Structure formats: C-alpha cells, structure tokens
Amino acid sequence: MAAGSFEVQFGEFLAEELPYREALEHLKRSIAAIVREDRGVTAFYIGKGSGTNPIDAIYRRYDRSKHAEEFTEDWALYASPCARTVSDLEGRLNDYFMKRDPKRCTNEGKGSGGAPSAQPTHYIYLALRRH
C-alpha cells in the first residue's frame, strides 16, 4: 500500500490461542524484541483489529494517525476468536509499554475504543516506524 511518500508493509507473525498468561508473556517478549532500539525502531503503536484474516484486519486499522506518525510496518502478532481476550491483552500491553518506553510507544491509553466487532477473529498488531 502506498501511503503518501512511503510504503507500508503489512505482515503477520502470529501466535494463536495461547493460554492468557502465556499469550501476555509471549507478546511482551515479542514486542520488546521487535522494537529494540538497535533495530532502528523510533516509534511504535500496539493495537487490535478484527477480520477474516490478519492482513485485512490490520490493513483496515491503518488510519490517518498512523500515516501522520509515518508507521511503515504493521504486523499482526496474536489471533483469537475472543474479542474480550484481545481487548484485555491490548490494555495490559499498552500499560506495560507506555510505562517501559514512553518516548517511543505512541499509545495514549490502555486500549483502543470502537464498536464491538462481529468479525470471526481478533488480532493484536504492532505498527512501527524505523528511521
């Protein structure tokens, strides 16, 4: 997808339906590894999306604010049929990374809003800017 003057890459690196504690720890480790400063990540955003597949779900979540932040990568990291599980994981991850890395984590609250989704699968995704 061309997004202004830069390309946005959408991809998946999914773990599916892990027990809650395992999923939370897996996501914390995965996000921390992906956004390490030596990998050139200058900003990141943790969010949730839903859809019939991960690429469509996160593609639809690429909005003006992500374009303005120049996020050039968007990765689906976790999938679950349970919206409540994904919402809770998103809130905990946002809280954790907003405290751990407030200069690069661009989340502003414990979770994203939005109307409940009737989509079959819910995803945790990570949007990145590298410079």
Side-chain angles (χ1 to χ4, degrees):
M1 169 184 175
S5 61
F6 53 91
E7 284 291 312
V8 179
Q9 298 173 12
F10 295 90
E12 60 184 280
F13 185 72
L14 286 178
E16 298 184 52
E17 266 315 280
L18 296 171
Y20 184 86
R21 286 184 182 267
E22 266 184 63
L24 181 59
E25 291 310 310
H26 167 77
L27 286 163
K28 283 180 181 178
R29 283 190 311 272
S30 297
I31 293 168
I34 292 166
V35 304
R36 279 191 350 227
E37 289 190 35
D38 66 342
R39 293 189 171 190
V41 176
T42 58
F44 63 95
Y45 177 89
I46 302 161
K48 67 181 179 192
S50 61
T52 56
N53 69 68
I55 303 303
D56 287 345
I58 62 176
Y59 179 86
R60 284 197 316 271
R61 299 298 297 161
Y62 190 86
D63 58 16
R64 288 182 183 169
S65 65
K66 290 179 192 74
H67 177 79
E69 290 283 346
E70 296 183 6
F71 288 123
T72 56
E73 297 176 44
D74 221 334
W75 294 93
L77 300 179
Y78 180 76
S80 174
C82 182
R84 187 177 197 176
T85 296
V86 167
S87 288
D88 191 58
L89 285 169
E90 179 200 25
R92 289 178 183 261
L93 291 165
N94 286 341
D95 186 51
Y96 178 79
F97 283 98
M98 287 167 55
K99 289 176 183 169
R100 182 175 189 232
D101 198 348
K103 291 185 179 176
R104 295 186 310 143
C105 181
T106 64
N107 293 85
E108 295 178 358
K110 290 192 176 189
S112 58
S117 172
Q119 294 291 329
T121 309
H122 304 269
Y123 301 93
I124 296 288
Y125 71 89
L126 180 66
L128 309 172
R129 177 178 66 216
R130 295 184 202 255
H131 283 281

